[in-house]
Amino acid sequence: MIEDDKQAADEAVAKELDGVPADMIDDEGKEEEGSLSDALSALKDDLDKANQDILYARAETQNVRRRLEKDIADARAYAATGFARDILSVYDNLVRAIEAIPPDLHDDPRMKAMVTGIEATQREVEKVFASHGITRIASTGLPLDPNQHQAMLEIPTEEHEPGTVVQEMQSGWMIKNRLLRPAMVGVAKKP
């Protein structure tokens, strides 16, 4: 019976040592203490490195998710940019049509319906622009802002400070907080 217990204990030790490199086991079947602590230290270092890699991977995944969410939000907000830029020329033509009609013909019964129709169309376009976050850039009387204005000419004048917008040749527009089209302006300069 004692021999059976000894044999069972030897088998248990053999199972525990199975997979441990031979150079880590001494002649009596016990692991060397220094090698075991070195292996344990190496395993702890590997575990720390793996945990750090997991944290970096999670952070990178979160950054990618945020970037994608921002890209999706921008795509939704600015999807109509090309279309809006094209419609601006239609709006400009409506404004030109109204300006081309002499003021005395605005009240002429033969022209009144046409003028009213053009003005109603212009108001409707402005309403649609506003509902989509498209706003007109203020320019006349303001200092030149190269981020919103495109100076087309300089106008000599003493009435305004140099660098002040004194004439707007084409209106400028923003879509949300992005420039859709700069305002083409004339800027004051000293005579």
Side-chain angles (χ1 to χ4, degrees), residues 41-101:
S41 175
L43 287 174
K44 283 182 181 179
D45 289 344
D46 289 346
L47 180 63
D48 290 342
K49 185 179 181 307
N51 284 335
Q52 192 68 29
D53 289 346
I54 289 171
L55 288 175
Y56 287 141
R58 283 183 182 164
E60 181 63 25
T61 302
Q62 189 174 18
N63 289 341
V64 168
R65 185 178 301 121
R66 284 184 187 148
R67 216 172 304 129
L68 284 174
E69 288 170 356
K70 183 187 180 308
D71 289 347
I72 289 169
D74 285 350
R76 283 187 186 133
Y78 303 111
T81 299
F83 180 72
R85 196 171 285 127
D86 293 340
I87 292 298
L88 285 176
S89 65
V90 173
Y91 178 82
D92 292 339
N93 288 332
L94 288 172
V95 171
R96 284 187 200 104
I98 291 171
E99 290 173 352
I101 300 171

Side-chain angles (χ1 to χ4, degrees), residues 73-189:
D74 285 350
R76 283 187 186 133
Y78 303 111
T81 299
F83 180 72
R85 196 171 285 127
D86 293 340
I87 292 298
L88 285 176
S89 65
V90 173
Y91 178 82
D92 292 339
N93 288 332
L94 288 172
V95 171
R96 284 187 200 104
I98 291 171
E99 290 173 352
I101 300 171
D104 58 323
L105 290 180
H106 279 250
D107 294 327
D108 186 336
R110 293 177 294 165
M111 298 291 288
K112 189 159 184 78
M114 183 177 71
V115 171
T116 303
I118 294 172
E119 288 173 341
T121 304
Q122 181 186 4
R123 283 191 304 273
E124 188 64 27
V125 170
E126 288 171 351
K127 182 179 165 188
V128 170
F129 281 174
S131 70
H132 290 281
I134 300 170
T135 55
R136 189 172 177 156
I137 297 171
S139 56
T140 306
L142 298 174
L144 178 72
D145 179 358
N147 296 316
Q148 295 183 342
H149 304 132
Q150 182 176 348
M152 301 303 291
L153 56 100
E154 290 183 319
I155 301 169
T157 180
E158 290 186 13
E159 297 175 18
H160 301 282
E161 287 289 318
T164 302
V165 174
V166 292
Q167 181 183 1
E168 181 180 83
M169 285 159 285
Q170 186 179 46
S171 59
W173 295 85
M174 300 284 288
I175 182 167
K176 308 253 190 262
N177 60 353
R178 284 189 186 170
L179 183 66
L180 187 59
R181 180 178 80 184
M184 294 186 183
V185 296
V187 182
K189 75 171 189 173

